[in-house]
Amino acid sequence: MSADVELQNVSVTFGSFYAAKNVSVKIKQGEFFSFLGPSGCGKTTLLRAISGFLDPSEGKVLIGGQDMAGIGPNKRPTSLIFQNLALFPLMSVADNIAFSLEVRGVSKIKRRERADELLELIALSGQGDKKVHELSGGQRQRVAIARALAIEPEVLLLDEPLSALDLKLRQKMRTELRAIQKRVGITFIYITHDQGEALTMSDRVAVMNEGELEQVGLCDDVYDFPNTPFVATFVGENNAFYSKVISSDGETVKVESEGNVFIAKAGKIDEQNKHTFNKGDEVIMFIRPESIFINNQNNKLDNNFVAKLNTIEFEGNLKNIYLSINPNMNVRFSVPNAVDTSDLSQNKNVELTFSSEKAVVLPKGSLAVD
Amino acid sequence: MNYFFNKNGPLISTYFIIAIVFWLVFLIIIPQLYMLDLSFRPNLPPLLRGGPDDVHTLEHYKYFIFGSATSEDPYNYVDLGVFFNTFTTAIFVTILNLCFCYPIAFFMAKVATPKTSRLLIVSLIIPFWINELLRSFALRIIFAGEGVINNILVGTGLIDTGINFIAADIALYTGLTYAYILLMIFPLYNAIESLDTNQLEAAKDLGSSTFRTHWRIVIPHAKAGIASGCTMVFMLTAGALATPVVLSSPNTYWFTQLIYQWFNMNDNWSRGSAYSILLLTISVIFVLLMMRIFKVKIGEIVR
């Protein structure tokens, strides 16, 4: 069984502070949905409103079409996985997993059967009698998932459960979480500040900032067609060119920035509509570091500019190259490590090029990195 | 030892060692050993002490069990009764104290805001700035035949004649429970406070009722604090003197009152020592029992 979750104009206030402001979103049945945002953006507040630990000050939470007002967390068809997992340290692994059955008066034998079944699901067969502290971080993670799944919830809520793991394990757990979600087929609502996690696992993401939804959409849509400057800079890396509109035909926009003229796509307002721009509008043009190339005869694209090289930063698979167009205007691009950069020396002027297809123009707004 | 001296300097090191040795040897070991030895010696006038009659004997312990040689009874029913009564009442008071303090401690640790909980702690502590004896007398006034409670009950017409709270030992139980409430609340508070609040939410999210969350999560987590609070309250209740003197009914004797009598009124220090050793023994047995029941180590209790 799986249920959809709908938030209708949900606001949560603490005094005069809005932790969540007028959030409306519909999460489909069986979907892996992520709320992505910086810490303090209100995503955990929303999760607590869905799980029932917190009542929205305004608006409604509907699960499976049913209004959840006045229904406590122990009566909702949701299970929550906590950031620190909150496994019960004094109980065995099997007792942890079967706790939700124990409180429902299921017999000891049945409980054990179900625990063993779930231990198999999370590839920990035969470890039911261990104590929680005898398991590794990744194993605990899986036990927390099994414990949450034991009563077959319709919606599983996950509050940054991977944040305590180290990088390798986190990457492995992403794949596993996704696989578990496919196997059990229930709705997963995932909270994270890590865009990598959100983009790799989710069907759709909602980007949040200061209690409000900035954009809801498919992962590649959010990455390729950000609706706001915040989304453009929070999800992935981006270069922001503060510019003025020269002309616009609805689809493409010609802008001027620090003496350079660029052509770019007009950004979207939502999934259907695009922003309209008029001559002289103050805008930001965004171009991602991986979409900028060194200009040579083979790959001349429709936008070109020159910048002076500052530093080359080695990141393993990538090299990040920092340049400045002028003292106020920096730009960064990245090339795969395999690309030879030995002819780039400091203070050398480099000719760069990018496609107008990859550049997005949005009205001026606050960036994630400000 | 060298390291200790180098780290703290000769002056402070010497002071530490003298203070600790003095405390251990003079305040704990010697008095206890002296009392233990005295309990096995006859009660002799000062002139005969150290003489040929001053031999080790079980006479005081025998007296506790069988009574005086001149008595008709086969056993010392009075003293055994008082001992047993003190023991059971102390256990009862300990349980009462635990039941009373657990919700308060839980409320302060997990429900109240930090500000409310600080306020509560202060209001719990302030009454204890007043001497134990005075607090007992205050309770005596409250519980007296013409006391506050009876006046209210009679005044509102709930009862016709005043209840004798003191004869029913209600005043005594209340006084003893109240006397050591802090020693129960603070270990409980510390233990519950250290529980990750997410565990409570996780249990609730998994469908657990409040009672079951406490039974399966909070109490197992807090058991060291419970054992610690119970042992302290039990020992102090069993060893209390002022509160029973002021609040017990004329028919109720507390074991410490017997000890007091042997020492001060009958001038029989040997027998007083023997009785003190008995009280100490039962207290130690109780601690060991608590450790066994709650499956905690002594290190966890005193933490």
Side-chain angles (χ1 to χ4, degrees):
Chain A
M1 263 293 279
S2 166
D4 57 352
V5 175
E6 194 178 351
L7 303 181
Q8 291 180 345
N9 308 96
V10 169
S11 292
V12 180
T13 51
F14 298 110
S16 61
F17 171 72
Y18 273 85
K21 202 168 184 180
N22 201 21
V23 173
S24 292
V25 63
K26 196 163 178 179
I27 297 156
K28 293 176 209 144
Q29 192 178 325
E31 186 175 33
F32 198 126
F33 189 93
S34 293
F35 284 101
L36 172 64
S39 48
C41 74
K43 52 195 192 303
T44 299
T45 305
L46 279 188
L47 199 75
R48 292 178 71 78
I50 299 171
S51 58
F53 285 110
L54 195 146
D55 285 322
S57 323
E58 287 160 46
K60 276 185 194 170
V61 176
L62 291 98
I63 299 176
Q66 199 197 338
D67 190 353
M68 287 289 131
I71 298 175
N74 49 350
K75 305 273 186 246
R76 294 194 183 190
T78 58
S79 266
L80 177 58
I81 296 182
F82 290 80
Q83 191 164 7
N84 66 355
L85 307 183
L87 293 172
F88 306 130
L90 301 175
M91 295 184 200
S92 70
V93 168
D95 282 351
N96 258 285
I97 293 176
F99 184 75
S100 58
L101 305 173
E102 182 194 320
V103 304
R104 284 166 176 78
V106 175
S107 75
K108 212 167 181 169
I109 300 162
K110 286 240 174 73
R111 264 162 28 206
R112 190 62 208 223
E113 272 172 20
R114 177 77 178 135
D116 286 339
E117 207 177 293
L118 283 157
L119 281 166
E120 210 181 304
L121 175 85
I122 57 167
L124 281 177
S125 295
Q127 316 236 28
D129 292 322
K130 283 193 177 174
K131 278 272 156 65
V132 173
H133 65 82
E134 293 173 289
L135 302 180
S136 71
Q139 290 173 330
R140 278 181 220 179
Q141 192 73 56
R142 301 207 293 263
V143 170
I145 295 166
R147 184 179 71 174
L149 292 174
I151 29 150
E152 299 175 348
E154 293 171 28
V155 180
L156 190 67
L157 309 168
L158 304 101
D159 185 6
E160 306 207 31
L162 304 187
S163 55
L165 302 179
D166 59 43
L167 181 68
K168 279 280 165 235
L169 200 51
R170 206 154 63 214
Q171 286 169 339
K172 184 164 165 274
M173 283 306 301
R174 284 180 193 172
T175 323
E176 267 185 50
L177 263 180
R178 184 66 177 152
I180 289 171
Q181 196 260 344
K182 284 263 183 286
R183 235 173 300 161
V184 294
I186 61 170
T187 315
F188 273 41
I189 300 179
Y190 194 91
I191 293 290
T192 182
H193 63 268
D194 180 335
Q195 41 126 351
E197 270 175 26
L199 297 180
T200 46
M201 291 190 286
S202 325
D203 295 310
R204 286 195 303 153
V205 298
V207 183
M208 284 191 79
N209 183 30
E210 294 179 349
E212 291 182 84
L213 283 189
E214 292 268 335
Q215 183 170 357
V216 181
L218 300 171
C219 296
D220 48 352
D221 271 354
V222 170
Y223 192 80
D224 291 335
F225 306 103
N227 291 353
T228 65
F230 178 83
V231 176
T233 44
F234 187 76
V235 183
E237 301 295 331
N238 236 327
N239 289 298
F241 287 80
Y242 288 89
S243 351
K244 266 202 170 81
V245 175
I246 298 173
S247 66
S248 167
D249 66 355
E251 286 295 314
T252 58
V253 190
K254 197 183 226 178
V255 298
E256 183 272 328
S257 168
E258 307 281 341
N260 291 308
V261 174
F262 298 120
I263 302 167
K265 289 180 304 181
K268 289 182 172 180
I269 297 174
D270 52 40
E271 277 174 44
Q272 283 82 37
N273 304 305
K274 292 196 163 182
H275 287 287
T276 51
F277 297 102
N278 298 312
K279 186 170 187 296
D281 281 357
E282 302 237 344
V283 294
I284 310 176
M285 186 197 73
F286 291 99
I287 178 75
R288 293 201 181 270
E290 70 268 24
S291 303
I292 301 180
F293 303 97
I294 298 173
N295 191 352
N296 58 41
Q297 278 359 88
N298 309 328
N299 64 354
K300 205 166 175 65
L301 299 165
D302 49 356
N303 284 310
N304 296 284
F305 67 102
V306 177
K308 197 163 74 180
L309 187 104
N310 291 334
T311 50
I312 300 179
E313 181 186 87
F314 176 67
E315 206 194 305
N317 58 338
L318 293 176
K319 282 181 223 172
N320 296 317
I321 302 168
Y322 292 87
L323 313 97
S324 42
I325 295 173
N326 64 40
N328 309 321
M329 178 70 210
N330 295 313
V331 60
R332 155 190 178 186
F333 75 104
S334 51
V335 292
N337 191 19
V339 173
D340 180 21
T341 52
S342 56
D343 60 329
L344 296 177
S345 56
Q346 205 175 352
N347 291 331
K348 187 183 169 184
N349 278 328
V350 187
E351 277 186 52
L352 297 168
T353 184
F354 63 89
S355 159
S356 61
E357 282 300 306
K358 295 289 180 188
V360 178
V361 174
L362 291 167
K364 237 176 161 176
S366 61
L367 307 183
V369 284
D370 275 354
Chain B
M1 199 66 176
N2 256 335
Y3 173 75
F4 181 74
F5 266 89
N6 287 337
K7 193 180 162 208
N8 297 302
L11 206 69
I12 293 176
S13 306
T14 314
Y15 171 71
F16 270 161
I17 288 168
I18 289 174
I20 290 169
V21 168
F22 177 80
W23 175 62
L24 273 177
V25 175
F26 288 95
L27 298 182
I28 298 181
I29 297 175
I30 291 181
Q32 295 286 348
L33 285 180
Y34 180 72
M35 200 169 76
L36 188 68
D37 181 61
L38 197 60
S39 77
F40 287 106
R41 291 190 183 274
N43 188 33
L44 296 172
L47 274 177
L48 293 178
R49 278 178 207 159
D53 291 338
D54 199 354
V55 288
H56 284 115
T57 166
L58 286 172
E59 137 190 7
H60 303 300
Y61 293 96
K62 277 184 183 154
Y63 177 89
F64 171 69
I65 296 169
F66 301 109
S68 73
T70 53
S71 154
E72 302 277 302
D73 292 330
Y75 294 105
N76 188 349
Y77 289 121
V78 175
D79 289 7
L80 283 172
V82 169
F83 187 68
F84 182 75
N85 188 44
T86 303
F87 179 68
T88 47
T89 309
I91 287 181
F92 172 72
V93 166
T94 306
I95 294 169
L96 198 71
N97 216 320
L98 177 64
C99 296
F100 186 66
C101 293
Y102 180 84
I104 298 176
F106 184 80
F107 179 81
M108 291 198 312
K110 288 292 164 205
V111 183
T113 59
K115 201 180 151 196
T116 317
S117 118
R118 271 198 301 275
L119 206 72
L120 262 169
I121 290 174
V122 169
S123 48
L124 278 168
I125 291 175
I126 285 176
F128 287 84
W129 291 354
I130 299 162
N131 178 282
E132 185 187 346
L133 207 57
L134 290 181
R135 267 182 285 129
S136 301
F137 273 112
L139 278 173
R140 195 179 174 101
I141 293 166
I142 291 170
F143 279 113
E146 301 266 308
V148 178
I149 295 181
N150 272 329
N151 280 347
I152 291 171
L153 288 176
V154 174
T156 53
L158 278 172
I159 50 170
D160 297 330
T161 50
I163 299 166
N164 198 340
F165 291 111
I166 288 169
D169 273 336
I170 290 173
L172 175 66
Y173 298 152
T174 312
L176 285 171
T177 306
Y178 184 50
Y180 306 112
I181 193 172
L182 292 185
L183 292 156
M184 184 64 94
I185 285 187
F186 286 127
L188 281 180
Y189 172 78
N190 284 337
I192 296 172
E193 219 261 327
S194 69
L195 176 70
D196 173 17
T197 309
N198 278 352
Q199 303 235 329
L200 301 177
E201 295 199 335
K204 189 161 190 199
D205 188 62
L206 292 166
S208 178
S209 62
T210 305
F211 174 79
R212 194 179 283 270
T213 305
H214 280 274
W215 183 246
R216 289 287 275 144
I217 313 291
V218 187
I219 293 176
H221 175 86
K223 65 177 183 178
I226 294 172
S228 168
C230 286
T231 46
M232 278 205 269
V233 168
F234 174 81
M235 284 199 191
L236 289 167
T237 308
L241 183 60
T243 311
V245 166
V246 178
L247 289 172
S248 64
S249 72
N251 307 326
T252 308
Y253 255 104
W254 210 245
F255 198 65
T256 47
Q257 287 172 280
L258 291 186
I259 297 173
Y260 180 82
Q261 280 183 354
W262 289 122
F263 272 107
N264 279 21
M265 284 139 96
N266 301 345
D267 206 17
N268 190 342
W269 281 39
S270 310
R271 191 155 293 169
S273 298
Y275 276 40
S276 300
I277 295 290
L278 286 167
L279 186 63
L280 182 68
T281 310
I282 198 80
S283 296
V284 170
I285 289 172
F286 183 79
V287 173
L288 296 175
L289 206 70
M290 290 304 283
M291 281 164 55
R292 178 62 67 83
I293 292 173
F294 285 98
K295 296 196 184 75
V296 288
K297 298 189 185 72
I298 190 89
E300 293 176 86
I301 287 190
V302 297
R303 191 166 53 198

